[in-house]
Amino acid sequence: QVQLEQSGGGSVETGDSLRLSCAGSGRTFSNEAIGWFRQRPGQGRALVSALSWMDGKTYYQSDVTGRFTISRDTAKNTVYLQMNSLKTEDTALYYCAADSRFEGRFYRAPDQYDSWGQGTQVTVSS
């Protein structure tokens, strides 16, 4: 199982940008899907975006389409989530996760993902 180490996040104001990073260690990503989830207080984890490591195909939740961009750096074994035009409703704990059984379909259920990062807080204030 690959280990995931997150970095980035913090406190910003509406309209600002942040970039989250998710670095894999232990082995290089191969055919996984890497997803970014967020968890708002009192709610479950929701898939925000995901990327197929092998071919770069992406998924975005409708709330973030046009504002967030998921990307990968194969040399660094890292996935990024660039978040622009942040809104107060983007405030949440963000997690990256890997689906090692990925076969082309992005699953939104957290239990499909078998490796998780430690989580990082994103707070957007008005």
Side-chain angles (χ1 to χ4, degrees):
Q1 235 178 18
V2 64
Q3 288 78 51
L4 304 179
E5 181 71 26
Q6 294 180 227
S7 60
S11 296
V12 296
E13 297 183 345
T14 54
D16 285 349
S17 299
L18 281 174
R19 189 178 77 161
L20 306 182
S21 300
C22 177
S25 64
R27 62 173 178 82
T28 56
F29 295 131
S30 54
N31 59 344
E32 291 91 342
I34 309 300
W36 284 99
F37 287 78
R38 65 185 177 191
Q39 186 169 18
R40 297 176 175 133
Q43 299 183 17
R45 296 181 186 185
L47 183 66
V48 171
S49 182
L51 174 144
S52 166
W53 185 262
M54 181 171 291
D55 60 16
K57 290 183 179 177
T58 59
Y59 161 84
Y60 294 97
Q61 184 196 63
S62 58
D63 289 353
V64 306
T65 299
R67 300 189 297 122
F68 290 13
T69 303
I70 192 170
S71 63
R72 72 192 194 283
D73 184 328
T74 56
K76 295 183 178 181
N77 208 41
T78 298
V79 174
Y80 303 97
L81 185 68
Q82 177 67 42
M83 305 184 292
N84 298 331
S85 302
L86 283 163
K87 305 176 181 180
T88 55
E89 51 263 44
D90 295 318
T91 295
L93 191 58
Y94 283 73
Y95 296 91
C96 65
D99 174 7
S100 64
R101 296 166 290 180
F102 180 71
E103 294 182 345
R105 176 183 175 183
F106 293 114
Y107 287 92
R108 291 179 288 178
D111 59 8
Q112 177 69 21
Y113 295 74
D114 41 21
S115 296
W116 288 84
Q118 76 276 23
T120 186
Q121 179 67 37
V122 171
T123 302
V124 186
S125 58
S126 58

